[in-house]
Amino acid sequence: MRIISFNANGIRSAASKGFLEWFRAQDADVLCIQETKAQEAQLSDPMFRPDGHHCFYRDASTKKGYSGVAIYSKREPDQVITSLGWAPFDEEGRYIEARFGNLSVVSFYIPSGSSGDLRQGFKFEVMEWLRPILDQWLHSGRDYVLCGDWNIVRSALDIKNWKSNQKNSGCLPEERDWLNAVCADHGQATDLASGRGWADAYRVLHPTGEDYTWWSNRGAARANNVGWRIDYQFVSPGLRDRLQGCSIYRDERFSDHAPFCVDYAT
């Protein structure tokens, strides 16, 4: 089973740069997209239904052309959920979940706080509200793959300029502490009671890897690989041993993010 997570920074823009042609060649079972920046009615062209995939969207209802998440899947899901029950988050189009039997695949887009104090405050609110939901999912008995752009790095391995970004959104100590608190790192015993159960697929497969998934459009950040790893696939404990391999595709530039692919044993 292959799952791809990709922040498109505009699905129509990414499509114009060849993303959907690349996606067709990947033989992926599920694609999770963030930042579609479109309303579903604007994606009626057959090109946005590649190779018969089932396509599901959660658009931003408060601001058109903003945010938005989607899931494309080979197999039709048993259920698709687009709300977690908190309007300020749901209405920005930041969550969609597809259920296939006991497996849930989620496309998440966690807010950025880089635009200023107001949005950083909202990001902290989201983090506090989301933590018990993540813990509940761990205890649910379902298998989960949480894909998406979380807008937070975990450690110095995940960002080129570690020291100079300590006061910048996405690398703030309290953000990193929050994300690391819900993760079980490579070699660490999973402790469901404390919530330390989500496995970072990339970090499990590459314990000392220093690869990135996002680069600023300023300067020559991408050319010089001055990046951040903020796009993840977090898996529940039952899927940890099924992780087979992963890759970050950088050969073509579809967005300021790169697609992140993970292969799972079935």
Side-chain angles (χ1 to χ4, degrees), residues 5-217:
S5 184
F6 175 53
N7 181 315
N9 195 12
I11 183 61
R12 290 170 294 177
S13 173
S16 73
K17 298 170 184 174
F19 170 70
L20 293 175
E21 286 77 11
W22 173 84
F23 170 64
R24 289 187 184 97
Q26 303 313 303
D27 193 29
D29 295 277
V30 183
L31 166 65
C32 292
I33 306 173
Q34 302 85 44
E35 275 205 284
T36 58
K37 291 187 174 180
Q39 306 303 114
E40 185 173 355
Q42 297 173 307
L43 304 175
S44 59
D45 189 291
M47 70 180 292
F48 295 107
R49 303 289 192 275
D51 298 336
H53 278 73
H54 302 278
C55 303
F56 306 92
Y57 301 92
R58 181 39 161 120
D59 304 334
S61 56
T62 52
K63 186 178 179 181
K64 291 185 177 180
Y66 176 74
S67 192
V69 289
I71 289 179
Y72 291 7
S73 62
K74 278 186 178 179
R75 172 182 159 188
E76 185 173 5
D78 302 316
Q79 183 181 9
V80 176
I81 306 168
T82 61
S83 172
L84 284 174
W86 186 39
F89 185 82
D90 292 333
E91 291 176 0
E92 288 193 359
R94 295 185 176 278
Y95 155 83
I96 187 170
E97 174 182 342
R99 293 189 167 188
F100 309 88
N102 196 52
L103 172 66
S104 285
V105 181
V106 175
S107 184
F108 257 140
Y109 180 38
I110 305 303
S112 168
S114 60
S115 64
D117 292 344
L118 185 63
R119 293 302 292 179
Q120 185 64 46
F122 178 60
K123 184 177 186 179
F124 284 139
E125 286 185 72
V126 168
M127 290 160 53
E128 182 179 0
W129 162 77
L130 194 57
R131 174 61 190 269
I133 295 173
L134 298 177
D135 290 347
Q136 179 185 354
W137 287 350
L138 277 178
H139 289 80
S140 69
R142 294 187 61 79
D143 291 325
Y144 275 89
V145 179
L146 309 182
C147 296
D149 175 2
W150 291 65
N151 271 308
I152 303 171
V153 299
R154 295 193 58 203
S155 74
L157 295 174
D158 303 313
I159 184 170
K160 184 70 170 182
N161 293 327
W162 168 253
K163 290 184 179 179
S164 62
N165 279 291
Q166 292 299 297
K167 294 183 179 181
N168 290 332
S169 181
C171 193
L172 297 174
E174 52 267 54
E175 294 175 329
R176 292 184 280 104
D177 289 347
W178 175 83
L179 190 55
N180 288 323
V182 300
C183 290
D185 286 322
H186 184 69
Q188 180 182 45
T190 298
D191 180 0
L192 288 178
S194 68
R196 295 184 66 86
W198 295 101
D200 177 347
Y202 172 86
R203 191 55 66 204
V204 170
L205 294 165
H206 300 285
T208 60
E210 296 184 53
D211 295 303
Y212 311 125
T213 62
W214 174 81
W215 301 263
S216 171
N217 285 321

Side-chain angles (χ1 to χ4, degrees), residues 1-5 30 32 105 145 147 233 260-262 264:
M1 180 176 67
R2 172 169 289 183
I3 298 177
I4 299 174
S5 184
V30 183
C32 292
V105 181
V145 179
C147 296
Q233 293 192 35
F260 175 47
C261 311
V262 180
Y264 298 82

